[in-house]
Amino acid sequence: MHTTYSSAFFGNFLGQAPKWYKQAIIAFLIINPLLYFFVSPYIAGWALVIEFIFTLAMALKCYPLQPGGLLAIEAVAIGMTSPDQVYHEITLNLQVLLLLIFMVAGIYFMKGLLLLVFTKIITKIRSKTTVSLLFCFVSAFLSAFLDALTVIAVIISVAVGFYSVYHKVASGKHIQTSHDHTSDHELPEYSREDLEGFRAYLRNLLMHAGVGTALGGVMTIVGEPQNLIIGEQAGWDFVEFAIRMSPVTLPVFIFGLLTCFFVEKFKVFNYGAPLPKNVRQILVEFDREEGAKRTIADKAKLMIQSAIAVWLILGLAFHVAEVGLIGLTVIIFATAFTGIIEEHQIGHAFEEALPFTALLAVFFSVVAVIVDQSLFGPVITWVLAQEGDMQLVYFYIANGLLSMVSDNVFVGTVYITEIKQALVDGVITRDQFDMLAVAINTGTNLPSVATPNGQAAFLFLLTSALAPLIRLSYGSMVWMALPYTIVLTLVGLVMISSGSLVEYTNTFYDMGVINHHSVESATAPSGH
C-alpha cells in the first residue's frame, strides 16, 4: 500500500517492472541531457543507443515500448534529433509498418487452416524425428511467406489445445467439461509421468518450430520485418531478394534440418523426448471427434483459406502490389468469404501486431538519432577499409553479436541505413552495397536464434501462457537453441567468407536472373 504520492508515482512508473529496472531508466533519463549539453552530443548519442539496446535485452522485465519510448521522446526534446527526421525515417519504412499491420492480421484469419496442418502432423505421424523435421520444415516454409510471429502463435495454439485436452482427460474429466489446465492438483500420481513426458515433447516441437521460422524468415523479403527494410533500401523485389540470399540461405536451411535430425536421433540438448502412448491415444481420439463435428460450412472455410494461401504466395512472388497491400487483400478475402463481417470480430486480428508496430516506430526514432549524430560513421569507415570478403565477415559478425542481445529488426535497420548512406556518398560501389546487404540480412537472422532477445518469435513463445505450463524457461531455450546457433552461424559465416557469395551472384548476373542496379535506383525509395 502506497502511503505517499512519491511512492505511488514510483509504484505506477513502469508497473510491475523490478525496482532496480525502474531506477536504471530514471538514471538514463537524467544522465542523457547532462551528457548531451555538458560532455558531447556524440557520446550522448552512443549512450542512448546502449540504453535502448538494454531495454530490448530486458524485454522480459518490461516491454521495450514504454522505457524505449521515453528515451526516444527525451532524445527529440533535447535536440539529438528532430520530429521531422523521425517522421522521415518512419515514412521511409512505411512498407514495413503496413506489413506488420495488415499481413499479421490477414494470417490471423487463416489460423483454421494452419491449425489443421499442425494437428495432422502430430496425430498422424508416429516417428518423433519425422514430426520434428516436419515442424521445422513447415514452420520455415510458412515463415518465408507469412509472418513468423503468426506462425509461432498458431503452433502455440495447437500446443495449448492438446495440452489442455490431455490434462483434462488425465484429471478424470470428460473433454467437454470445464477444467483448469494450469493446475496439477487434480492430476492422479500415475498420470504425472506422462504429463512430464508430454511437456518435454512439446518443448522439443516448439523449439524446432521456432528455429524453423528463422530458417524460412531469412530467405524472403517478407520473412522478417528487417528483410523488407533491407530489400526496400536495395530496390529488390520478392524474387530478387530470395535469389540474392540463396547462396547463404539454402545451405543454412539444409544444415538446419540436419541439425534437427541429429539432435533428435542422438537425444542431445534435451531433445528426443517421445510422445507417451497414453497421451497419443487421447489426442488421436480428440482429433477424430473434432473431425466428425466439422460441418460442410467449416470445410468450405478451409477451402477458401487454402485458395487465399495460393493467392498470397503468387501475389508475393510476382510482386502484384506492395507487401502490406497484399496483406490487406488477404484480410478482405478471408473475412468476406467466411462470414466475418462485424467490426469487433476483425479488431482482434490487429492485437498481436500493433504493440510491435508502435515499438518499430520507436526504433526509427533511435535510428534518426544515429543518422543525425553520425554515430556509426567511424565504425562503418573502419569496416569498409577492410579488404575483399573481410568486409562481409565483419558486418556478418557485428550484426550477429548485436542481434543475440538486441532485436534483429533494430540492428538490421541501423546497419542498412549506414551502408546506404555510404553508397550515396560514393564510399562504396553498388556491387559492394549488394553484398553487404546480404551479410547484414543473414547476420541479423541467423546468430539471433541464440537467445529469445534476438528473435521476436522466440520472445513471443517465452512470454506466452504456454511457456510456464510446459516448463520452458529462458535458460532452457538458450540451451536447446545452442546446437542450432553454432551450426547456423558457422554455415552462414563460411558461405559469406568463402567467396561463393560473389561467385554465385556473378553467375546470376551472367544468366540474366538478376540485374545490376544503379545507385539512383537504390536510393530512390529513401528519398535522397
Side-chain angles (χ1 to χ4, degrees):
M1 191 73 179
H2 300 297
T3 55
T4 64
Y5 278 109
S6 60
S7 65
F9 281 124
F10 186 78
N12 290 337
F13 179 66
L14 299 182
Q16 299 301 313
K19 181 179 179 181
W20 64 265
Y21 183 90
K22 297 181 181 184
Q23 291 171 336
I25 299 301
I26 292 172
F28 294 159
L29 293 170
I30 294 172
I31 290 170
N32 289 345
L34 298 177
L35 289 176
Y36 183 76
F37 290 112
F38 300 109
V39 181
S40 162
Y42 184 80
I43 292 175
W46 266 111
L48 176 73
V49 171
I50 294 169
E51 292 159 4
F52 187 67
I53 290 174
F54 169 81
T55 67
L56 297 174
M58 294 290 109
L60 292 180
K61 304 297 182 186
C62 177
Y63 190 64
L65 174 63
Q66 293 85 356
L70 290 173
L71 292 170
I73 291 170
E74 182 186 64
V76 173
I78 65 178
M80 284 189 183
T81 187
S82 65
D84 288 341
Q85 183 64 31
V86 173
Y87 181 72
H88 176 67
E89 292 297 332
I90 290 175
T91 55
L92 296 189
N93 295 283
L94 181 60
Q95 282 196 35
V96 183
L97 299 179
L98 292 178
L99 165 72
L100 285 170
I101 294 170
F102 292 135
M103 189 64 83
V104 175
I107 305 309
Y108 175 90
F109 295 109
M110 296 176 64
K111 279 187 176 181
L113 177 64
L114 300 176
L115 283 168
L116 181 64
V117 170
F118 286 106
T119 299
K120 293 304 180 185
I121 291 174
I122 289 179
T123 57
K124 299 298 183 184
I125 300 172
R126 291 186 174 273
S127 168
K128 169 64 185 313
T129 303
T130 304
V131 171
S132 299
L133 284 168
L134 280 173
F135 258 69
C136 192
F137 176 83
V138 173
S139 298
F141 178 81
L142 292 174
S143 295
F145 295 98
L146 313 178
D147 175 75
L149 279 179
T150 306
V151 174
I152 208 71
V154 168
I155 298 172
I156 289 172
S157 298
V158 174
V160 169
F162 279 157
Y163 181 88
S164 61
V165 166
Y166 171 72
H167 202 281
K168 187 182 299 182
V169 173
S171 299
K173 297 183 179 180
H174 190 268
I175 288 178
Q176 304 302 328
T177 59
S178 59
H179 174 69
D180 180 13
H181 59 265
T182 64
S183 172
D184 294 346
H185 293 313
E186 299 180 54
L187 207 67
E189 197 62 39
Y190 61 82
S191 295
R192 291 179 184 268
E193 186 176 344
D194 280 345
L195 180 60
E196 289 305 317
F198 190 31
R199 282 170 171 158
Y201 178 84
L202 291 176
R203 286 197 297 270
N204 288 183
L205 293 188
L206 284 161
M207 287 302 295
H208 291 313
V211 172
T213 62
L215 292 175
V218 69
M219 288 184 165
T220 68
I221 200 168
V222 296
E224 291 283 351
Q226 73 269 20
N227 298 18
L228 190 57
I229 294 171
I230 292 167
E232 175 70 7
Q233 294 281 34
W236 300 337
D237 60 17
F238 184 90
V239 174
E240 181 170 359
F241 184 97
I243 291 172
R244 286 185 178 275
M245 296 298 159
S246 62
V248 181
T249 57
L250 289 180
V252 164
F253 177 72
I254 293 169
F255 276 90
L257 291 181
L258 286 174
T259 305
C260 177
F261 174 82
F262 282 113
V263 295
E264 284 293 336
K265 198 71 175 176
F266 295 103
K267 296 178 169 45
V268 292
F269 293 94
N270 296 341
Y271 289 105
L275 180 62
K277 291 182 179 179
N278 293 334
V279 179
R280 170 177 286 281
Q281 186 177 346
I282 291 171
L283 297 185
V284 169
E285 182 60 32
F286 170 73
D287 182 51
R288 188 179 298 118
E289 289 184 14
E290 289 295 300
K293 290 192 298 184
R294 195 170 290 124
T295 64
I296 293 178
D298 293 330
K299 293 177 182 177
K301 289 179 182 179
L302 292 174
M303 293 170 65
I304 288 294
Q305 290 175 12
S306 300
I308 293 171
V310 174
W311 149 246
L312 175 61
I313 293 172
L314 293 176
L316 292 172
F318 291 101
H319 196 64
V320 298
E322 296 300 340
V323 174
L325 298 183
I326 294 176
L328 180 57
T329 66
V330 170
I331 294 175
I332 294 169
F333 289 145
T335 54
F337 291 99
T338 58
I340 301 173
I341 57 172
E342 296 181 15
E343 183 179 356
H344 75 276
Q345 290 177 296
I346 298 173
H348 292 303
F350 294 89
E351 292 175 358
E352 290 179 6
L354 288 183
F356 189 69
T357 305
L359 178 59
L360 203 59
V362 175
F363 283 1
F364 298 139
S365 302
V366 178
V367 171
V369 172
I370 292 171
V371 171
D372 279 353
Q373 302 300 327
S374 302
L375 298 185
F376 276 72
V379 177
I380 299 298
T381 300
W382 178 80
V383 173
L384 293 179
Q386 308 305 310
E387 295 296 327
D389 293 334
M390 290 310 296
Q391 286 184 359
L392 305 181
V393 171
Y394 282 124
F395 266 94
Y396 179 85
I397 293 174
N399 279 269
L401 291 175
L402 266 180
S403 294
M404 287 181 183
V405 296
S406 180
D407 185 274
N408 51 13
V409 181
F410 174 66
V411 176
T413 302
V414 168
Y415 274 95
I416 196 65
T417 301
E418 289 297 322
I419 68 159
K420 176 65 171 296
Q421 193 58 50
L423 173 65
V424 172
D425 294 341
V427 177
I428 59 175
T429 66
R430 175 64 211 215
D431 285 344
Q432 280 179 289
F433 173 85
D434 290 337
M435 298 300 173
L436 290 171
V438 174
I440 291 170
N441 184 66
T442 51
T444 55
N445 277 287
L446 299 177
S448 59
V449 301
T451 70
N453 305 99
Q455 285 281 344
F458 276 32
L459 187 61
F460 184 69
L461 171 59
L462 184 61
T463 55
S464 70
L466 176 65
L469 295 181
I470 63 174
R471 311 300 188 255
L472 184 63
S473 64
Y474 188 100
S476 62
M477 287 188 75
V478 172
W479 175 249
M480 295 175 76
L482 184 59
Y484 284 111
T485 303
I486 294 171
V487 172
L488 302 189
T489 301
L490 290 180
V491 173
L493 182 60
V494 168
M495 300 310 296
I496 285 288
S497 62
S498 64
S500 58
L501 178 61
V502 176
E503 181 183 336
Y504 280 112
T505 303
N506 288 334
T507 302
F508 294 143
Y509 285 142
D510 295 339
M511 293 170 60
V513 177
I514 57 177
N515 300 314
H516 282 283
H517 292 275
S518 65
V519 174
E520 288 75 15
S521 68
T523 57
S526 69
H528 285 287

